[in-house]
Amino acid sequence: KKKEVQGKLAEAQRLLNSLTAAEKAALAAEQARASRASADRVQLGNSTPASGRAGAAFSAAQSKVGTPYVYGATGPSSYDCSGLTSWAYAQAGVGIPRTSEAQANIGTRIYSQSQLQVGDLVFFFNDLHHVGLYAGNGQTLHAPRPGTAVRYESMSTIGGPFMFGIRV
């Protein structure tokens, strides 16, 4: 799996490197606009509010909206998905494992999206390679992938199925 992911990352980097300066500038501007727009338009609705350590972790993660995604990064100037969640919970005084796969084995599992609370960890894809923080109203706060930044996104557009949540 690691070699497969590294191959995909290498191909993405080759594609990125093949862009002209104008194309790179346009892509960067679009990503910045998308990150700002997602922060401006996210509607968190009447979801169960975060409390205690989940609330503190979620607040910490909110402060990183717009911070670039870098594979393997744990902050404070860049993050990958599990780097963001482990950093956010550390700011709340809670140590959780570093990887999404390990984070999936802590706390209480929640299989129904309707039972999620703000600050719960939410996991995607069958191999659990992506994690974010539940933001309410079907939204997640996460570090999506290379070339993007920490942002809010609908859980329905992540690109892989929601598997379950974890209440830490």
Side-chain angles (χ1 to χ4, degrees), residues 85-145:
T85 54
S86 61
W87 176 86
Y89 268 92
Q91 304 317 295
V94 180
I96 64 173
R98 167 63 185 93
T99 66
S100 59
E101 295 85 354
Q103 290 175 12
N105 293 312
I106 63 169
T108 304
R109 283 194 180 185
I110 302 148
Y111 292 98
S112 171
Q113 287 188 41
S114 67
Q115 299 299 312
L116 291 171
Q117 295 179 5
V118 174
D120 286 342
L121 298 173
V122 286
F123 295 85
F124 300 89
F125 299 95
N126 292 329
D127 63 358
L128 307 175
H129 74 262
H130 189 66
V131 63
L133 292 161
Y134 186 65
N137 199 33
Q139 302 284 315
T140 187
L141 177 56
H142 68 142
R145 63 191 162 278

Side-chain angles (χ1 to χ4, degrees), residues 64-88:
K64 294 301 179 176
V65 168
T67 303
Y69 176 103
V70 172
Y71 182 76
T74 59
S77 59
S78 59
Y79 296 92
D80 68 4
C81 65
S82 57
L84 176 66
T85 54
S86 61
W87 176 86

